[in-house]
Amino acid sequence: MDIENLLVIGSGAMGSQIGLVGALAGYDITIQDVSTTALGKTREALSGASRKSELYLKWLPSARG
């Protein structure tokens, strides 16, 4: 059984970073939180972080290879 999807409960500092690392590793990520405001902030933060991280991805070996 291969894991393809990850669900992260909570979009605070820890949850958002877990989501980012999982996405960079190639997994489909769902982040869930009771606060829509927190989810919006996390979406904005991860969007910026993922654009910056794309510059470094070509140097990293595939985690799911």
Side-chain angles (χ1 to χ4, degrees):
M1 177 166 94
D2 292 332
I3 296 173
E4 297 176 8
N5 304 300
L6 297 175
L7 170 63
V8 180
I9 307 295
S11 63
M14 188 175 203
S16 63
Q17 294 304 303
I18 292 169
L20 176 61
V21 171
L24 292 175
Y27 294 96
D28 293 325
I29 304 296
T30 301
I31 299 177
Q32 196 170 47
D33 200 304
V34 295
S35 170
T36 56
T37 303
L39 282 172
K41 289 178 182 179
T42 297
R43 179 184 296 269
E44 290 176 22
L46 292 182
S47 178
S50 65
R51 282 193 296 272
K52 291 175 186 174
S53 297
E54 287 174 7
L55 299 173
Y56 302 104
L57 288 179
K58 65 181 178 180
W59 301 105
L60 299 175
S62 174
R64 295 180 66 187

